[in-house]
Structures are given as structure tokens and as C-alpha cells.
């Protein structure tokens, strides 16, 4: 009973502290930047949803036009309407949730992956131990730096697969695994194993280092590309601007 009471008290204390931290974060510059990112993410989702609905309408109109050549207009209209209803239902069912989740990471296009991961990571900050919280803020900044590089990366390349596994699989698995541990057990080492809080901190540090390495590699690739282009121009044109 005593242990259960301590667990409940720890849970209430954790909730109270995290709510206070969340309130302070919302009014801070970082909180305002996070709100801006959330608005931009919602706008991206709305644009994707609208584009899919327009495609569904266009496909239904095309089916209606083709069927109208072979069957009665009423039959063609009924089939086209049924198709439009089906496609609209599928689009709405597959639409990304308003709250960031692992589904948003798994389904994000490569150019949007870093932004979706930053939103997901911000939603996970509640209850994180202070060292992990600081690491999450560092990772959010690194993801913002990485975003424009991902937009230029070939989605079929091995580097893209590595980045997607790192951001959309390994990061959420680490945080979800830590959240599965009861609050009262997260800060305690047991049976010779490090405390879950420490494991989370070490895991986030490793992932942050890997993100830094990926960012450096992609940046170096861009620098190599501009260097090659500059050398090409030097070889193509002489000092007077004439073609060689």
C-alpha cells in the first residue's frame, strides 16, 4: 500500500511539474516558434488533403465522361457519384491526424520528415527528465537545420532510407519504450541495469550525434557539388569570359 501511494503521489507531482513547464514553454520564444511550426504543419496537411480531394473529383468526372458515352447518363452519374464518395472517404480516412503521432512520421514525405519529427518530438517533451528535455530541444534545432537538406535528397537513395529509419523508427521507439515504464521506476536502476531515465538520455544523445553526422555529410555533399560546378566553370571560361 505504501509503495502504491508513493507511486500515485509521484505521478501527481510529475503531472503538476510538467504542466507548469508546459505553460512556461508556451510563452517562451521557443514556445512561440513551436506554435509557428505547428501552424505550418497543419497548413501542409490541409494542402495535401485539398490536392487529394481535387484529384478524386477529377477522377470521378473522367469516369462520368467515359461512361456517358456507353451507358445512360443517369447510370453514368450514379457510378461517378459512388466513386466520388468512395474516394473521398478513403482520402479522409488516410488523412494525417491533427495531433502529431508516429503515423505522421511514417507517412511523411522526405521533404516534410524533419518538420514532422520536430512536431512529434515537441509533443513528447511533457514528463521528460531535464537532461532528456534539453537533448530534445537540441534535436529540434538540428532537425530544423536538416529540413532543407532533406528536400534536396533523392528519396530512393540509401542516405534517405538511413535518415527515415533514424527519425521515423528509432527515435519514436526509444521514447515510446521509456514511456512504457511506470513513472515510479524510471529514475531507479534495477538488477544492475541503468535507470530508464539514463537509458533515454544516452539514447537521445546517440541519435542526436547521428543526426549531426548526417547533417554534416549532406552539407559536405552540397559543398562538393558547388566546388565541382565552380571548377567546371573555370575550365569552360577563360579569364576574359570567352569560351575555351
Amino acid at each position: 500500500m505504501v509503495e502504491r501511494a508513493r507511486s500515485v503521489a509521484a505521478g501527481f507531482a510529475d503531472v503538476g511539474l510538467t504542466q507548469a513547464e508546459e505553460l512556461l514553454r508556451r510563452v517562451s520564444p521557443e514556445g512561440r516558434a513551436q506554435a509557428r511550426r505547428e501552424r505550418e504543419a497543419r497548413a501542409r496537411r490541409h494542402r495535401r488533403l485539398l490536392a487529394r480531394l481535387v484529384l478524386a473529383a477529377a477522377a470521378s468526372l473522367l469516369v462520368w465522361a467515359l461512361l456517358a458515352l456507353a451507358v445512360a447518363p443517369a447510370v453514368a452519374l450514379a457510378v461517378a457519384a459512388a466513386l466520388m464518395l468512395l474516394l473521398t472517404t478513403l482520402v479522409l480516412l488516410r488523412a494525417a491526424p491533427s495531433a502529431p503521432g508516429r503515423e505522421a512520421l511514417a507517412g511523411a514525405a522526405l521533404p516534410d520528415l524533419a518538420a514532422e519529427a520536430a512536431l512529434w518530438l515537441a509533443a513528447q517533451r511533457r514528463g521528460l527528465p531535464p537532461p532528456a528535455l534539453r537533448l530534445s530541444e537540441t534535436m529540434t534545432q538540428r532537425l530544423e537545420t536538416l529540413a532543407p537538406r532533406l528536400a534536396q535528397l533523392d528519396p530512393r537513395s540509401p542516405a534517405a532510407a538511413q535518415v527515415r529509419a533514424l527519425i521515423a523508427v528509432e527515435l519514436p521507439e526509444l521514447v515510446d519504450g521509456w514511456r512504457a515504464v511506470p513513472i515510479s521506476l524510471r529514475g531507479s536502476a534495477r538488477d544492475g541495469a541503468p535507470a530508464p531515465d539514463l537509458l533515454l538520455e544516452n539514447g537521445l544523445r546517440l541519435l542526436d550525434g547521428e543526426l549531426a553526422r548526417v547533417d554534416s555529410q549532406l552539407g559536405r555533399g552540397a559543398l562538393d557539388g558547388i566546388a565541382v560546378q565552380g571548377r567546371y566553370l573555370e575550365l569552360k571560361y577563360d579569364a576574359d569570359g570567352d569560351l575555351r
Side-chain angles (χ1 to χ4, degrees):
M1 269 311 272
V2 174
E3 184 63 27
R4 176 61 178 168
R6 287 177 179 173
S7 175
V8 172
F12 280 124
D14 182 79
V15 170
L17 287 174
T18 54
Q19 286 179 344
E21 292 169 356
E22 184 67 20
L23 179 60
L24 290 174
R25 195 175 299 120
R26 286 179 181 176
V27 299
S28 66
E30 293 80 4
R32 291 193 293 270
Q34 177 62 25
R36 173 184 54 79
R37 288 193 292 267
E38 291 175 357
R39 289 194 299 270
E40 292 172 351
R42 284 195 297 269
R44 286 195 303 271
R45 295 189 184 108
H46 291 161
R47 287 195 296 269
R48 289 197 295 266
L49 179 60
L50 181 60
R52 291 167 184 168
L53 290 175
V54 168
L55 288 176
S60 301
L61 287 174
L62 179 60
V63 168
W64 171 78
L66 293 176
L67 287 177
L69 299 176
V71 300
V75 175
L77 182 59
V79 172
L83 178 62
M84 179 64 186
L85 179 60
L86 175 63
L87 293 177
T88 301
T89 302
L90 292 176
V91 167
L92 293 177
L93 288 176
R94 296 187 52 147
S98 56
R102 293 187 63 170
E103 299 82 3
L105 295 182
L110 189 61
D112 299 332
L113 181 58
E116 293 290 350
L119 287 174
W120 180 86
L121 194 56
Q124 305 305 310
R125 288 176 181 170
R126 175 170 294 181
L128 291 181
L133 181 61
R134 289 190 290 269
L135 281 168
S136 72
E137 293 169 351
T138 301
M139 293 179 71
T140 297
Q141 295 172 1
R142 204 176 300 283
L143 286 167
E144 291 179 348
T145 303
L146 188 62
R149 305 197 197 283
L150 295 185
Q152 301 174 356
L153 187 63
D154 183 359
R156 298 165 295 181
S157 65
Q162 178 187 4
V163 170
R164 185 173 290 280
L166 177 67
I167 294 177
V169 178
E170 294 169 4
L171 175 59
E173 283 185 352
L174 173 66
V175 178
D176 287 350
W178 172 80
R179 289 204 180 278
V181 178
I183 294 175
S184 60
L185 302 180
R186 292 175 183 171
S188 305
R190 288 177 177 266
D191 301 326
D197 283 353
L198 182 59
L199 292 174
L200 174 66
E201 177 187 349
N202 292 339
L204 288 176
R205 184 173 287 108
L206 289 173
L207 292 177
D208 181 57
E210 188 64 16
L211 283 176
R213 188 185 68 81
V214 169
D215 185 41
S216 176
Q217 285 185 341
L218 295 180
R220 188 163 58 249
L223 289 175
D224 291 344
I226 193 64
V228 170
Q229 180 67 13
R231 182 57 179 161
Y232 166 76
L233 293 175
E234 288 177 0
L235 294 174
K236 186 174 181 180
Y237 298 96
D238 59 19
D240 299 327
D242 297 328
L243 283 172
R244 288 187 184 274

